[in-house]
Amino acid sequence: MTAIQPGAPQPSGASYDGKGVNFTLFTQHAQRVELCLFDYSGEETRFDLPARTGDIWHGYLPALRPGQQYGYRVHGPWDPAAGLRFNPAKLLIDPCARDVCGEVTDDPRLYCREQTPDAQDSAAVAPKSVVVVEGFDWEDDCPPHVPWGSTVIYEAHVRGLTLLHPEIPAEIRGSYAALGHPVMIDYLQRLGITTLELLPVASFASEPRLLRMGLSNYWGYNPLACYALERRYAFQQQSARQEFQQAVKALHKAGIEVVLDVVFNHSAELDEDGPVLSMRGIDNPSYYWLDEQGGYRNWTGCGNTQNITHPQVLAWVIDCLRYWVAECHIDGFRFDLATILGRNPGFRPDAPFFAALSTDPLLSGCKFIAEPWDIGPGGYQVSHFPAPFAEWNDHFRDVVRRYWLHGDLCNGELAGRFAASSDLFQRNGRSPASSINLITAHDGFTLRDLVSFEQKHNEANGEDNRDGNNTNFSHNHGVEGLQAPLLIEEHRRRSMHALLATLLLSQGTPMLLAGDEQGHSQHGNNNAYCQDNALTWIDWQQQDSGMLAFTAALIQLRKRIPALQSNQWWLPGDGNVEWLDEQGNPMNVARWQQGEHRLQIRLSGRWLLTINATEQVADLQLPAGEWHAIPPFAGDDNPIITQVWHGAAHGVCVFEQFC
């Protein structure tokens, strides 16, 4: 083979120029870097990277082609107390690899748990990086650029969303191709969502503990290679990226944005006893937060924490995000455990990562969503992220659950969350859309389970039901489980309707969990991260068509109400909102603070929401005028109310006033 040449320190990773491949690798503390090439029989050829520019090692191999499998062996000191864990016996994935083949197993050759370097060579069982060729015919693809005020997010799992869909060709179900299939796109359009938020699609690994129990990581929050698409979701693994790009292109053509859930807070190398796969062996003290003894600071609960304050690690994250936008036309990102991204080591709203995002010409136009917490000191940071971030708002989730399912909060608490949690987010130039309103998400109960189970039921996860959140504010309405008498089923349906109506008709950005609109259940499992089976896959043949129609009608109604679309804070007297009691009078301080659970909310002067969170049927005095109860809240008779709404049952009803 041709001798390796010095090459160039940019671009990152392995880049094919039509004649050969340039390789780069960041490592600050290494003494020697070997590039290892593998043929299809597993035969290995090694080259020392011949050049170093700063802390970027690089080399160029003429005549090398896309599809080439490669990895690195990095030489340097073995001194765990100083955080140095170099061991050339371990083959390492390129952190900038655009593709990865092979899976992480629980093979002992992947580990290095002793205080001396483990001599077992891992190349035979380690995943390999793969050289790719860039380029895709995007034609006239144009990002939808949905305004924040009009955004309705649909959080979904690539595999679980389509695997059981009977109208999608069987061979592509559960794949990227299925996301872009006309059947799926037609469904999303009819539902009315604007933004598809996908659980991680970057290459990830199953934790060894799960493999030993015969389980696997389903959600994908255990990253292996953040630039590379997860092959298991591809109909044809060799063309996963093109398949994904085609799906994004089709979704964009339908006016639907694609947002990716990304994980830059930890890696699949886990704690000190975890496998040696990439960053640990490349430059452990640069990539990870370490303590004084060289151990990992576990602010993620996953064994390690990535150190985004390091300039090269920060550059790696930004470059990776740019890659997804440039090559896959991604419209935005939801950052898992995002407090980590602002740590130094305490959280700072002016952290370098946030500044880099806001000033990058390619990224600054994207949507950014933070999961605003981690488990480290001062990790709960809801409402403290800088603009233009939006944030998951657990205040909204918990207050709305408690108000409707337990009745232990006053109207004032609900109104504060209904008004985009202005007490939290109306500052520092942030808009109402900064509050990502959610009732459910992948992490927790589904909507149907929220009204059917008092307790979590996570026994299938193999941890004796110890995992998952114990504080769910759920309510089973008197019977634990899905099967219940008809009267209880009706009470549950009214509760689900009330929860959905509050979610989709509140100010802020609503996020709907895929399957909730169909009545999907996980049978009480509120931490189904390791359940890649029928427990988590949406069963389209069991679809609750009534719930689906109700949800779609709510989204369409939301689009008609200016007060919910303008993304402007509501101000007294601006005509956007009026808060009325059950007699139709303006709310006073006493009524806000009392435990009454009846309320009327007038939006944009024309729409009226009546809320009765009690179990008693009530008569509500509507404001003066002629009010028409509108679908999905009215029957075929479409009643016209001029004074009193008789028989207002538990739930939300919406009226429209005609001049």
Side-chain angles (χ1 to χ4, degrees):
M1 184 176 286
T2 306
I4 193 167
Q5 301 172 9
Q10 292 293 332
S12 60
S15 53
Y16 176 66
D17 63 4
K19 298 179 180 179
V21 180
N22 192 77
F23 294 89
T24 69
L25 185 73
F26 157 71
T27 172
Q28 179 180 347
H29 298 93
Q31 297 170 343
R32 177 187 171 201
V33 175
E34 289 183 288
L35 169 66
C36 308
L37 305 182
F38 296 85
D39 63 21
Y40 289 106
S41 68
E43 183 84 19
E44 179 180 358
T45 304
R46 303 184 189 182
F47 300 87
D48 276 28
L49 286 185
R52 180 176 183 176
T53 302
D55 293 325
I56 306 297
W57 300 63
H58 48 95
Y60 179 86
L61 274 172
L64 216 58
R65 295 290 180 263
Q68 175 66 56
Q69 297 180 15
Y70 72 99
Y72 290 104
R73 297 180 186 272
V74 182
H75 300 252
W78 175 265
D79 186 0
L84 300 171
R85 294 175 175 269
F86 293 104
N87 184 352
K90 307 304 176 186
L91 186 77
L92 306 172
I93 295 171
D94 180 357
C96 299
R98 272 51 169 177
D99 190 18
V100 171
C101 65
E103 295 188 3
V104 177
T105 65
D106 191 30
D107 192 287
R109 287 170 286 184
L110 293 175
Y111 297 92
C112 193
R113 295 168 172 151
E114 305 299 326
Q115 288 303 305
T116 56
D118 181 86
Q120 297 182 92
D121 194 302
S122 68
V125 293
K128 311 295 191 299
S129 309
V130 182
V131 176
V132 304
V133 59
E134 310 289 0
F136 177 76
D137 185 6
W138 286 100
E139 298 181 299
D140 58 351
D141 179 69
C142 183
H145 289 305
V146 178
W148 266 114
S150 302
T151 300
V152 179
I153 297 172
Y154 189 72
E155 189 199 35
H157 187 283
V158 170
R159 179 170 166 83
L161 179 64
T162 64
L163 191 64
L164 300 181
H165 201 303
E167 297 177 29
I168 293 176
E171 63 272 17
I172 68 169
R173 293 174 192 166
S175 72
Y176 302 123
L179 284 181
H181 191 275
V183 167
M184 196 67 243
I185 288 178
D186 179 66
Y187 175 83
L188 296 174
Q189 287 181 310
R190 286 187 290 111
L191 180 58
I193 62 98
T194 69
T195 305
L196 178 62
E197 181 179 309
L198 297 174
L199 268 66
V201 298
S203 178
F204 63 90
S206 292
E207 294 85 342
R209 178 183 57 82
L210 294 179
L211 295 174
R212 293 166 199 153
M213 292 191 293
L215 299 171
S216 63
N217 189 306
Y218 174 63
W219 286 348
Y221 294 94
N222 194 39
L224 180 65
C226 292
Y227 288 74
L229 267 164
E230 178 52 56
R231 284 189 170 198
R232 76 188 77 181
Y233 299 150
F235 165 50
Q236 296 180 326
Q237 290 198 0
Q238 301 301 322
S239 57
R241 191 171 53 139
Q242 290 80 6
E243 188 178 313
F244 180 72
Q245 290 167 322
Q246 188 61 49
V248 173
K249 181 178 173 181
L251 288 160
H252 279 182
K253 188 174 182 180
I256 298 171
E257 296 178 313
V258 180
V259 168
L260 296 187
D261 203 331
V262 290
V263 186
F264 293 108
N265 57 73
H266 79 285
S267 82
E269 293 182 307
L270 308 175
D271 61 14
E272 289 84 354
D273 291 330
V276 181
L277 303 170
S278 182
M279 300 172 186
R280 173 175 290 155
I282 292 172
D283 197 330
N284 192 56
S286 293
Y287 276 106
Y288 297 114
W289 282 103
L290 305 179
D291 60 26
E292 292 76 9
Q293 291 76 43
Y296 295 104
R297 295 193 182 276
N298 186 15
W299 298 327
T300 62
C302 302
N304 64 58
T305 304
Q306 290 188 321
N307 181 9
I308 312 300
T309 65
H310 191 289
Q312 286 292 347
V313 182
L314 172 61
W316 168 73
V317 175
I318 295 298
D319 186 69
C320 183
L321 296 173
R322 288 179 56 86
Y323 177 81
W324 284 104
V325 175
E327 296 299 325
C328 295
H329 287 203
I330 294 305
D331 302 289
F333 302 93
R334 181 264 188 189
F335 295 93
D336 182 63
L337 298 184
T339 298
I340 295 296
L341 303 176
R343 282 194 174 277
N344 191 28
F347 179 81
R348 289 175 42 190
D350 62 346
F353 174 73
F354 302 136
L357 279 185
S358 63
T359 58
D360 187 278
L362 184 61
L363 298 176
S364 57
C366 295
K367 283 185 163 76
F368 300 131
I369 301 170
E371 183 184 36
W373 47 74
D374 63 30
I375 67 168
Y380 185 77
Q381 293 293 334
V382 172
S383 80
H384 295 149
F385 280 71
F389 267 86
E391 303 174 36
W392 276 24
N393 185 354
D394 61 337
H395 293 265
F396 181 95
R397 179 196 66 198
D398 293 348
V399 164
V400 173
R401 288 184 180 190
R402 291 175 63 185
Y403 184 86
W404 283 110
L405 299 181
H406 293 272
D408 60 350
L409 295 177
C410 64
N411 285 330
E413 291 275 4
L414 179 71
R417 303 308 138 218
F418 189 94
S421 299
S422 58
D423 58 323
L424 298 174
F425 292 100
Q426 192 176 4
R427 58 186 179 187
N428 301 327
R430 306 189 72 184
S431 70
S434 300
S435 173
I436 302 293
N437 298 336
L438 66 154
I439 301 294
T440 57
H442 69 274
D443 189 359
F445 280 137
T446 68
L447 180 63
R448 187 179 178 195
D449 288 354
L450 188 67
V451 300
S452 304
F453 294 90
E454 207 79 12
Q455 306 294 332
K456 64 184 183 182
H457 295 271
N458 298 352
E459 290 80 5
N461 296 354
E463 298 183 53
D464 297 322
N465 206 33
R466 294 188 303 270
D467 62 308
N469 199 335
N470 293 314
T471 305
N472 298 287
F473 303 115
S474 60
H475 179 36
N476 65 15
H477 293 74
V479 174
E480 187 77 354
L482 300 179
Q483 303 303 317
L486 185 61
L487 181 61
I488 288 180
E489 287 285 1
E490 182 55 35
H491 286 172
R492 288 175 175 178
R493 178 171 291 273
R494 287 205 302 266
S495 291
M496 287 190 287
H497 281 190
L499 290 163
L500 283 170
T502 306
L503 171 67
L504 292 168
L505 299 179
S506 288
Q507 190 182 34
T509 305
M511 187 186 83
L512 181 69
L513 173 64
D516 276 356
E517 77 280 9
Q518 301 184 18
H520 174 63
S521 171
Q522 292 177 171
H523 297 272
N525 191 317
N526 77 347
N527 189 33
Y529 74 103
C530 57
Q531 299 297 325
D532 186 3
N533 50 51
L535 186 74
T536 53
W537 306 334
I538 295 175
D539 188 347
W540 292 80
Q541 293 183 315
Q542 297 299 317
Q543 179 184 107
D544 184 333
S545 58
M547 187 68 69
L548 175 58
F550 181 84
T551 307
L554 280 172
I555 294 174
Q556 293 306 315
L557 177 60
R558 177 183 181 85
K559 295 176 180 180
R560 296 174 58 198
I561 302 176
L564 300 179
Q565 299 292 302
S566 66
N567 198 23
Q568 299 294 319
W569 292 107
W570 296 339
L571 301 174
D574 64 5
N576 282 314
V577 65
E578 297 175 72
W579 310 95
L580 308 172
D581 63 19
E582 57 191 300
Q583 285 80 42
N585 299 316
M587 292 287 288
N588 56 39
V589 174
R591 285 194 172 273
W592 280 127
Q593 296 176 347
Q594 290 169 359
E596 298 173 349
H597 292 89
R598 298 189 183 100
L599 178 66
Q600 299 184 72
I601 308 172
R602 189 172 186 170
L603 296 174
S604 301
R606 183 175 171 181
W607 284 268
L608 183 71
L609 280 65
T610 63
I611 292 174
N612 180 11
T614 73
E615 293 300 325
Q616 291 75 42
V617 173
D619 291 341
L620 301 178
Q621 180 74 46
L622 304 188
E626 188 176 273
W627 296 93
H628 297 242
I630 61 176
F633 306 94
D636 295 334
D637 55 346
N638 191 25
I640 299 173
I641 309 297
T642 56
Q643 285 187 317
V644 179
W645 173 225
H646 293 290
H650 179 90
V652 177
C653 189
V654 181
F655 297 86
E656 185 175 6
Q657 187 176 44
F658 292 95
C659 299

